[in-house]
Amino acid sequence: MTHHTDDATDHAEFVTDPVCGMLIDPTTSATSREHDGTTFYFCSVGCANTFDADPHRYGHPHP
Ligand SMILES: [Zn+2]
Ligand SMILES: [Zn+2]
């Protein structure tokens, strides 16, 4: 049985803001968006708005 709890409070995993490329901590990000089942985190609402305008330009290329 590999049933481990999803408790990652003791170490932060940093992610990249897809708009500006800044490394941010998801727990302290200004805001986030979910797109195609992936959650993207942003350093600011401005970056999220830019993402909203054209997610595929910043988020991920679609096949
Ligand atoms: Zn997409
Ligand atoms: Zn940003």
Side-chain angles (χ1 to χ4, degrees):
M1 275 221 241
T2 52
H3 209 88
H4 66 251
T5 51
D6 194 24
D7 190 352
T9 48
D10 57 340
H11 68 96
E13 260 186 60
F14 286 82
V15 295
T16 305
D17 179 326
V19 175
C20 68
M22 194 174 148
L23 269 183
I24 47 173
D25 182 345
T27 61
T28 59
S29 67
T31 186
S32 65
R33 293 289 185 274
E34 200 172 306
H35 175 85
D36 288 348
T38 303
T39 305
F40 296 91
Y41 297 92
F42 302 93
C43 68
S44 68
V45 174
C47 278
N49 288 340
T50 304
F51 179 83
D52 283 341
D54 191 357
H56 295 146
R57 181 171 175 183
Y58 298 101
H60 62 110
H62 269 217

